[in-house]
Amino acid sequence: MSASRTPGHSRLTKAHKLSIAGVATLSAAAVAFSLIPADAAEAETINAAPVAWTQAVNGAQTKALHGNLSAQQVIAQANAKAAAKIKADADANAKAAAKKAREAKTAASRSAARTPVFANNLDGWIKEALFIMKKEGIPGTYAGIHKNIMRESSGNPMAINNWDINAQNGIPSKGLLQVILPTFKAYHVKGTKFDQYDPVANIVAACNYAADRYGSMDNVNSAY
């Protein structure tokens, strides 16, 4: 019996259905392909460029920051060393000054200990003169000096001879041992007062003259 056919209804075979499905699939694929940029690799590169640039800038900034910090550290260390050296030098100078002051004080103390205090009288004047004479190598004894002083001035440091030949010549004898000015000038010992009336300076100068003329004041037994 032959099947009846409805007018206007096309009969599709299985092959036709498969063909239609394939065409639909290809069409969808084409549409999907059209939505992708023409050069996907180029687009990816373009999108990645800002990221790479940012990373490069950040890297350069970080490197510059590290370099700046390193330079500051070097400067700080140099400044610290310089400050330490200045302090060390100051400490060394202070120690040297303190040591010098101690040495000067010690020397002064020793000098004071070596220099006795002499009485301000005939006994003290003779002893002080002998102390100076010993350092200067001028000979003389207490007894020899004392006997000549008593003969020349009776122990008066302000004694002056206004009647002898020296006085007539305008150069009177003065002081404990009656020394005229030219003799006092010629035989004055440095460190004593430059004054004919000063008892110690007068004794030392007279003994220096006597040592040169007579060998020692001990050898003088009359006017000299």
Side-chain angles (χ1 to χ4, degrees), residues 26-212:
L26 291 174
S27 297
V31 172
F33 179 78
S34 65
L35 295 176
I36 298 175
D39 194 343
E42 183 179 356
E44 183 178 355
T45 302
I46 292 173
N47 291 332
V51 176
W53 181 82
T54 301
Q55 291 176 343
V57 171
N58 290 340
Q61 290 177 343
T62 301
K63 185 176 181 181
L65 178 60
H66 287 169
N68 188 36
L69 291 175
S70 297
Q72 290 179 356
Q73 185 177 9
V74 170
I75 293 172
Q77 290 175 347
N79 290 338
K81 288 181 179 179
K85 187 177 184 305
I86 291 173
K87 185 178 184 302
D89 291 343
D91 291 342
N93 290 337
K95 288 180 180 179
K99 182 180 179 182
K100 187 174 182 180
R102 288 195 302 270
E103 291 174 349
K105 185 176 180 180
T106 301
S109 298
R110 290 176 179 173
S111 177
R114 290 194 301 265
T115 304
V117 177
F118 301 99
N120 188 28
N121 54 33
L122 180 59
D123 179 70
W125 299 332
I126 295 174
K127 289 179 178 177
E128 185 174 356
L130 285 169
F131 179 80
I132 296 171
M133 289 164 60
K134 183 178 181 179
K135 292 193 298 183
E136 298 294 330
I138 301 172
T141 64
Y142 186 99
I145 294 171
H146 187 271
K147 73 173 183 179
N148 280 286
I149 287 175
M150 297 310 293
R151 186 188 65 253
E152 294 292 334
S153 66
S154 300
N156 177 15
M158 300 303 295
I160 181 171
N161 185 328
N162 287 316
W163 56 268
D164 67 2
I165 187 64
N166 290 320
Q168 294 175 21
N169 292 331
I171 48 173
S173 301
K174 297 179 180 179
L176 290 175
L177 285 169
Q178 292 292 284
V179 182
I180 62 175
L181 184 59
T183 300
F184 181 80
K185 286 182 178 180
Y187 291 93
H188 172 260
V189 174
K190 185 178 180 180
T192 62
K193 292 182 180 180
F194 194 81
D195 180 0
Q196 282 177 270
Y197 287 114
D198 181 80
V200 175
N202 187 283
I203 293 172
V204 174
C207 287
N208 193 23
Y209 164 73
D212 184 43

